[in-house]
């Protein structure tokens, strides 16, 4: 049956089912597309003969909302959705966002904070003994004790707070089928302790073979040094070939035990996953509300790979998808692209071909396929490993095939190009193809910063590598006669970024001659190296002390420096320059960021020409005033009075 999975009891009965095997609760709206984790897991279970009912965005205030299908035969599956709910709900300044792209019409408020905990507790109140399995990025990144930025404290494993039985962490295709088969064979959920890619609770440690004991929860809660040590051990045990079981002691509550990660998918397995019978769109029940905005971003995009060996400190991919590259075959991707051209809404433009990093199409070295990634070395940082295979030839061939599909006008690359990997490839073919065929006027790249000190803590290459890339990019554009630009992403307030480094970034922005419309302040999400540094002030892998800009006002100053041209930021920019002892950047020279304030005849401060504080010869302020609303760099709503500059005679 090529249709949506049931979302009501009637739809379940229409299929001839009296009961489902699994009830899948998700914090997202129901979109049956391969870019949504809930669609992949539910369709995969279906392909293995299991009956799945979907409950999207249940009303967590009513028990009836999770009783749509009654009690499932095997268990409940619970996910917060494609995004961490806290990131979905709040900005880095902890202000409520105005739009939820994974809800119908972008409406906020259709899911609670931490749905994995809220939904699971609601299920447990209603069904006392039915197995509950958590999955998705929210649960994956909270599978052990973790620092919670929103409450500013260390919290225990989400497994304990939720009352669930298991976590299927990472990309769960392997583990969820093993869990389903185990439950189906009659194994009690408390005895399912052996599946890679899972976390479980236990009263003893006897179930773990050759485990590593982490510092206890009490220790990591009370000691930042213990927290950093625990994170270091976890980070070095994220590879399926070398990782060992990890044990976290919760005293009288027993133990939380993490099995090693599941093995990466083979190319054939990846192809099978993306060949499942997805409907490719949102459920029709959302049509009247305008659909699901998140689908618009990826509807005409193609997933080419998973995993990332880039190793950025602020990214959670190491803990979720892993560092080993997994790719789909050309045939699988081309088949999906050809099907895409049959969509009446398709205008001839494939928006993206990629993954976490678009131009990764193979493991960084062949050793990873049998022995895993290195525990104490990165593939690209601080410089490319001598064993790195930097080769874009397969990706170039794939892009060429996609361009030739009838009905395809243009194939864009928007999911991010790793410029240091491009520079490591001695063959210029990819950069040439990129410039000629795959950019829509602007190439978005992520150098993140210009200070080598900050880049060191970010796990990014030195600034010189980015400058070399820009030169190569400009050369290729000149050859083609095109005027295409590189638009960089920068981040403020990352651990290691002092005010001196923030000013250095502002000077670079000044020399570029553009003002970023948006500034990304570092967001401490669970299970990243950077978040560990943010909380502890310690680099967990080297144990060195790290300066961390934590004060909200200091973070606002760092953001303001990157948008120094905005008059509303003047006082913050001035404060930052004073803190960095860079008052040489206040003046009238071409290198100055802001102008000095002039004083009027009576010694008071007056604005520059056209400035709201300027007075006319009679001492009256020029023009009429009006109030406008806006937001300052702390994210707070503000009102300010501005005055027009129309000259009027004094009356």
């Amino acid at each position: 049956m090529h249709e949506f999975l049931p979302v009501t009891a009637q739809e379940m009965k229409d299929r001839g089912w009296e009961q489902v095997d699994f009830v899948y609760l998700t914090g997202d709206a129901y979109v049956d597309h391969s870019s949504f984790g809930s669609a992949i897991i539910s369709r995969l279970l279906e392909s293995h003969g299991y009956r799945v009912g979907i409950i999207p965005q249940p009303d967590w205030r009513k028990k009836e909302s999770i009783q749509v299908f009654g009690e499932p035969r095997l268990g409940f599956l619970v996910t917060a959705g494609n995004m961490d709910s806290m990131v979905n709900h709040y900005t880095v300044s902890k202000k409520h966002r105005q739009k939820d792209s994974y809800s119908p019409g972008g409406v906020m408020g259709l899911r609670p904070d931490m749905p994995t905990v809220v939904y699971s507790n609601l299920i447990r109140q209603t069904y006392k003994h039915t197995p509950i399995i958590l999955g998705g990025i929210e649960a994956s990144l909270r599978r052990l004790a973790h620092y919670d930025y929103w409450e500013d404290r260390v919290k225990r494993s989400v497994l304990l707070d939720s009352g669930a039985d298991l976590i299927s962490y990472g990309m769960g295709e392997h583990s969820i089928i093993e869990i389903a088969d185990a439950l189906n064979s009659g194994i009690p959920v408390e005895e399912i302790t052996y599946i890679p890619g899972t976390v479980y609770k236990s009263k003893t440690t006897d179930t773990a073979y050759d485990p590593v004991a982490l510092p206890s929860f009490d220790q990591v809660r009370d000691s930042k040094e213990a927290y950093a040590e625990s994170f270091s051990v976890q980070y070095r045990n994220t590879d399926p070939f070398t990782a060992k079981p990890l044990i976290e002691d919760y005293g009288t509550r027993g133990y939380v035990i993490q099995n090693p990660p599941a093995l990466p998918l083979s190319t054939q397995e990846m192809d099978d996953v993306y060949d499942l019978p997805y409907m490719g769109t949102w459920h029709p029940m959302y049509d009247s509300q305008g659909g699901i905005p998140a689908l618009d971003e990826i509807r005409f995009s193609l997933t080419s790979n998973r995993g990332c060996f880039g190793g950025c400190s602020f990214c959670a991919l190491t803990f979720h998808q892993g560092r080993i590259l997994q790719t789909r075959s050309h045939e699988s991707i081309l088949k999906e692209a050809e099907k895409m051209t049959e969509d009446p809404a398709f205008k001839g433009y494939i928006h993206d071909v990629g993954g976490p990093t678009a131009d990764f199409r193979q493991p960084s070295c062949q050793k990873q396929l049998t022995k895993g990634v290195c525990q104490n070395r990165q593939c690209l940082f601080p410089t490319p490993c001598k064993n790195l295979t930097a080769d874009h030839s397969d990706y170039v061939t794939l892009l060429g095939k996609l361009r030739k599909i009838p009905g395809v006008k243009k194939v864009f690359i928007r999911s991010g190009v790793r410029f240091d990997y491009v520079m490591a490839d001695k063959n210029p073919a990819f950069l040439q193809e990129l410039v000629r065929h795959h950019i829509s006027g602007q190439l978005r790249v992520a150098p993140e910063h210009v200070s080598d000190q900050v880049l060191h803590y970010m796990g990014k290459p030195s600034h010189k590598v980015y400058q070399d890339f820009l030169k190569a990019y400009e050369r290729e554009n000149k050859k083609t006669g095109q005027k295409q630009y590189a638009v960089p992403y920068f981040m403020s307030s990352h651990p290691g970024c002092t005010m001196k480094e923030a000013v250095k970034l502002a000077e670079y922005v000044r020399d570029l001659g553009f003002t970023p419309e948006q500034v990304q302040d570092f967001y401490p999400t669970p299970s990243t190296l950077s978040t560990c540094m943010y909380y502890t002030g310690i680099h967990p892998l080297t144990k060195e002390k790290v300066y961390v800009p934590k004060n909200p006002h200091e973070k606002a100053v760092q953001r303001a420096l990157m948008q120094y041209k905005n008059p509303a930021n003047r006082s913050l920019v001035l404060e930052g320059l004073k803190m960095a002892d860079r008052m040489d950047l206040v003046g009238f020279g071409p290198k100055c960021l802001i102008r000095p304030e002039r004083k009027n005849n009576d010694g008071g401060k007056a604005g520059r020409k056209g400035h709201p504080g300027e007075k006319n010869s009679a001492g009256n302020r020029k023009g009429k005033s009006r109030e406008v609303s806006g937001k300052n760099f702390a994210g707070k709503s503000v009102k300010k009075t501005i005055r027009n500059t129309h000259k009027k005679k004094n009356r």
Side-chain angles (χ1 to χ4, degrees):
M1 297 176 68
H2 187 55
E3 57 186 4
F4 289 92
L5 294 171
V7 296
T8 66
Q10 185 59 51
E11 290 179 3
M12 174 182 72
K13 292 177 181 178
D14 289 345
R15 286 177 170 241
W17 303 350
E18 292 300 319
Q19 184 184 33
V20 295
D21 297 318
F22 290 100
V23 172
Y24 199 129
L25 277 73
T26 172
D28 288 343
Y30 179 25
V31 181
D32 195 28
H33 187 282
S34 59
S35 291
F36 289 73
S38 56
I40 287 179
I41 296 301
S42 58
R43 287 296 186 184
L44 185 64
L45 285 166
E46 179 191 43
S47 72
H48 282 256
Y50 294 104
R51 298 173 175 180
V52 183
I54 308 289
I55 304 180
Q57 299 185 317
D59 186 342
W60 66 96
R61 292 153 294 207
K62 299 177 181 177
K63 290 183 179 180
E64 296 79 13
S65 68
I66 56 96
Q67 295 176 298
V68 173
F69 301 102
E71 184 174 15
R73 184 174 70 90
L74 297 178
F76 285 92
L77 308 177
V78 178
T79 178
N82 266 24
M83 279 184 70
D84 187 296
S85 67
M86 303 304 287
V87 178
N88 180 281
H89 286 173
Y90 303 98
T91 68
V92 67
S93 55
K94 302 181 182 179
K95 304 299 179 182
H96 282 279
R97 297 191 192 274
Q98 302 302 310
K99 180 180 179 181
D100 182 349
S101 293
Y102 292 90
S103 292
V107 174
M108 290 293 291
L110 299 183
R111 76 180 95 203
D113 290 351
M114 291 297 298
T116 46
V117 172
V118 176
Y119 294 165
S120 296
N121 281 312
L122 188 62
I123 294 168
R124 191 54 77 216
Q125 292 168 21
T126 311
Y127 302 103
K128 302 298 183 183
H129 305 293
T130 310
I132 302 174
I133 297 94
L134 305 182
I137 193 166
E138 182 168 283
S140 286
L141 302 185
R142 292 171 173 80
R143 57 189 185 255
L144 295 171
H146 56 279
Y147 170 70
D148 184 274
Y149 168 70
W150 301 273
E151 295 186 22
D152 192 27
R153 67 184 178 95
V154 175
K155 298 180 72 172
R156 59 189 188 174
S157 166
V158 72
L159 201 54
L160 298 180
D161 289 338
S162 66
D165 298 286
L166 286 171
I167 299 174
S168 168
Y169 73 86
M171 308 305 285
E173 288 95 346
H174 281 157
S175 58
I176 197 61
I177 297 303
E178 290 191 60
I179 292 169
D181 289 347
L183 291 171
N184 192 45
S185 67
I187 298 176
V189 69
E190 60 270 15
E191 294 181 16
I192 302 176
T193 61
Y194 53 88
I195 296 175
T198 61
V199 180
Y200 62 95
K201 297 175 289 189
S202 178
K203 290 297 183 182
T204 73
T205 61
D206 297 342
T207 54
Y209 174 73
D210 192 22
V212 173
L214 298 171
S216 70
F217 173 72
D218 287 347
Q219 289 175 309
V220 298
R221 180 193 59 201
D222 299 335
S223 167
K224 292 184 177 181
E225 289 76 13
Y227 185 95
E229 176 58 29
S230 178
F231 187 89
S232 173
V233 176
Q234 293 175 50
Y235 189 86
R236 292 186 171 99
N237 281 271
T238 55
D239 183 84
F241 292 96
T242 60
K244 293 186 176 183
L246 303 180
I247 295 177
E248 196 165 62
D249 187 349
Y250 282 86
T252 57
R253 295 296 301 270
Y255 303 91
V256 171
I257 301 177
Q258 174 184 299
N259 284 319
L263 289 171
L265 298 184
S266 66
T267 296
Q268 183 60 59
E269 288 173 323
M270 282 275 283
D271 289 354
D272 291 344
V273 164
Y274 285 90
D275 196 38
L276 293 169
Y278 308 103
M279 298 299 290
T281 187
W282 57 70
H283 193 282
M285 63 183 170
Y286 304 122
D287 287 348
S288 62
Q289 297 162 280
I292 312 303
L295 182 64
D296 295 336
E297 300 295 323
I298 48 81
R299 184 174 182 180
F300 299 121
S301 296
L302 297 165
T303 298
S304 164
N305 62 63
R306 281 187 189 173
C308 182
F309 52 79
C312 297
S313 301
F314 47 80
C315 181
L317 277 167
T318 295
F319 271 67
H320 190 59
Q321 289 193 9
R323 291 168 56 191
I324 297 178
L325 252 289
Q326 302 149 71
T327 55
R328 295 169 64 186
S329 69
H330 288 200
E331 292 72 23
S332 173
I333 296 171
L334 292 169
K335 178 181 177 182
E336 184 179 349
E338 289 165 358
K339 182 180 178 182
M340 191 181 289
T341 63
E342 299 170 4
D343 189 321
F346 183 69
K347 304 300 183 184
Y349 301 98
I350 295 176
H351 296 163
D352 189 29
V353 184
T357 300
D359 54 324
F360 287 176
R361 278 285 299 173
Q362 60 188 359
S364 60
C365 69
Q366 294 304 305
K367 177 184 78 71
Q368 292 181 6
L369 298 176
T370 55
K371 298 181 180 178
V373 297
C374 298
Q375 287 185 305
N376 299 300
R377 296 177 63 185
Q378 292 286 349
C379 303
L380 286 166
F381 173 80
T383 57
C385 174
K386 62 181 179 62
N387 295 320
L388 175 71
T389 304
D391 183 0
H392 289 84
S393 57
D394 179 72
Y395 192 39
V396 170
T397 302
L398 172 62
L399 293 171
K401 291 177 181 178
L402 289 168
R403 293 199 304 268
K404 294 177 181 178
I405 294 176
V408 172
K409 299 176 183 177
K410 189 88 171 179
V411 179
F412 294 115
I413 299 173
R414 291 177 175 166
S415 57
V417 171
R418 186 79 188 210
F419 60 83
D420 51 346
Y421 187 67
V422 174
M423 297 306 294
D425 188 351
K426 302 306 179 184
N427 186 341
F430 171 67
L431 187 56
Q432 292 169 355
E433 291 286 289
L434 178 69
V435 169
R436 284 175 171 81
H437 301 292
H438 303 291
I439 301 174
S440 58
Q442 295 180 340
L443 174 67
R444 297 188 180 276
V445 284
E448 305 295 357
H449 215 280
V450 298
S451 163
D452 284 352
Q453 172 179 304
V454 181
L455 292 169
H456 163 73
Y457 294 115
M458 288 180 164
K460 300 284 284 186
S462 71
H463 182 52
K464 182 181 182 302
V465 179
Y466 177 62
Q467 291 175 306
D468 290 343
F469 171 78
L470 289 181
K471 292 174 183 176
Y473 177 69
E474 185 178 0
R475 283 196 301 270
E476 293 302 328
N477 273 288
K478 284 184 177 179
K479 290 178 184 178
T480 62
Q482 299 180 90
K483 291 184 179 180
Q484 299 182 130
Y485 305 96
V487 180
Y489 285 115
F490 293 121
M491 183 185 297
S492 64
S493 303
H494 188 275
C497 187
T498 66
M499 197 59 68
K500 177 182 176 182
E501 312 308 318
V503 171
K504 187 173 184 178
L505 179 55
E507 289 185 282
Y508 183 79
V509 169
R510 172 204 64 200
D511 295 340
L512 284 180
F514 88 105
T515 302
E517 292 183 6
Q518 293 182 326
V519 175
Q520 176 60 57
D521 198 355
F522 167 64
Y523 205 145
T525 54
S527 297
T528 72
L529 271 169
S530 297
T531 298
C532 183
M533 286 187 273
Y534 174 88
Y535 170 61
T536 65
I538 302 168
H539 192 300
L541 303 184
T542 65
K543 304 300 185 288
E544 62 183 306
K545 297 290 184 180
V546 184
Y547 173 79
V548 179
K550 273 191 174 183
N551 182 282
H553 184 71
E554 180 183 355
K555 290 163 73 72
V557 171
Q558 289 206 19
R559 287 197 301 273
L561 280 164
M562 291 171 63
Q563 294 179 315
Y564 65 89
K565 290 183 179 180
N566 186 337
N569 294 337
R570 188 184 189 285
S571 61
L572 290 173
V573 173
L574 181 61
E575 184 178 349
L577 295 177
K578 288 178 180 177
M579 292 172 65
D581 194 22
R582 290 299 309 274
M583 292 300 288
D584 57 299
L585 295 176
V586 180
F588 296 96
K591 296 293 184 181
C592 292
L593 299 184
I594 56 175
R595 303 288 182 257
E597 287 187 321
R598 292 192 293 108
K599 292 184 178 181
N600 56 23
N601 292 335
D602 61 3
K605 291 182 179 179
R608 301 175 305 281
K609 184 177 181 181
H611 188 275
E614 187 176 358
K615 297 180 179 180
N616 62 19
S617 58
N620 299 319
R621 295 190 183 274
K622 294 183 176 180
K624 294 181 179 179
S625 66
R626 59 188 175 93
E627 279 195 332
V628 296
S629 296
K631 288 189 177 181
N632 63 17
F633 277 86
K636 296 181 178 179
S637 296
V638 296
K639 286 187 175 181
K640 58 182 180 179
T641 300
I642 65 171
R643 303 176 186 277
N644 65 35
T645 56
H646 295 300
K647 294 183 179 179
K648 293 187 177 181
K649 294 181 179 179
N650 296 318
R651 297 183 183 275

